[in-house]
Amino acid sequence: MNLILMIMLAALLIPIYEAWQDDNIWQKMLAFASIATKTSIMILIVSILQDDWMIGVVGVLILSVGNAGLMLLAHVIKRLNDLSQTL
């Protein structure tokens, strides 16, 4: 179990490095969405391995609500860019 979590943590460092290197806001948003998805999948795997479904419910909520929040933020940024170009 610890080996699986270490591999997943190593995979989690890849989008963190990408968000740190790139200044494009869309690349950062994609990196943060990837981090949220990988973190929620890690929570789901831990809940399965420990046979605790309450932790799994929290992982599913983070997976669904976290990505929806990022999509709303992306649309707000897109609308602000469109308004600034028209003015």
Side-chain angles (χ1 to χ4, degrees), residues 73-87:
L73 183 61
H75 281 288
V76 167
I77 291 172
K78 183 179 177 185
R79 293 280 177 143
L80 287 175
N81 283 338
D82 290 343
L83 283 176
S84 67
Q85 289 177 356
T86 57
L87 295 176

Side-chain angles (χ1 to χ4, degrees), residues 24-43:
N24 188 359
I25 188 68
W26 295 107
Q27 291 294 325
K28 285 187 178 186
M29 297 281 293
L30 286 173
F32 290 140
S34 176
I35 291 169
T37 303
K38 286 177 181 161
T39 304
S40 62
I41 289 174
M42 285 174 54
I43 291 171

Side-chain angles (χ1 to χ4, degrees), residues 1-58:
M1 180 171 142
N2 288 337
L3 180 65
I4 293 171
L5 286 177
M6 291 295 177
I7 292 171
M8 293 179 85
L9 284 174
L12 189 63
L13 292 177
I14 296 170
I16 291 173
Y17 179 74
E18 179 63 29
W20 178 52
Q21 288 288 320
D22 203 355
D23 289 334
N24 188 359
I25 188 68
W26 295 107
Q27 291 294 325
K28 285 187 178 186
M29 297 281 293
L30 286 173
F32 290 140
S34 176
I35 291 169
T37 303
K38 286 177 181 161
T39 304
S40 62
I41 289 174
M42 285 174 54
I43 291 171
L44 287 174
I45 288 177
V46 167
S47 72
I48 290 171
L49 291 176
Q50 291 188 354
D51 198 25
D52 187 3
W53 291 104
M54 294 302 288
I55 297 174
V57 169
V58 171

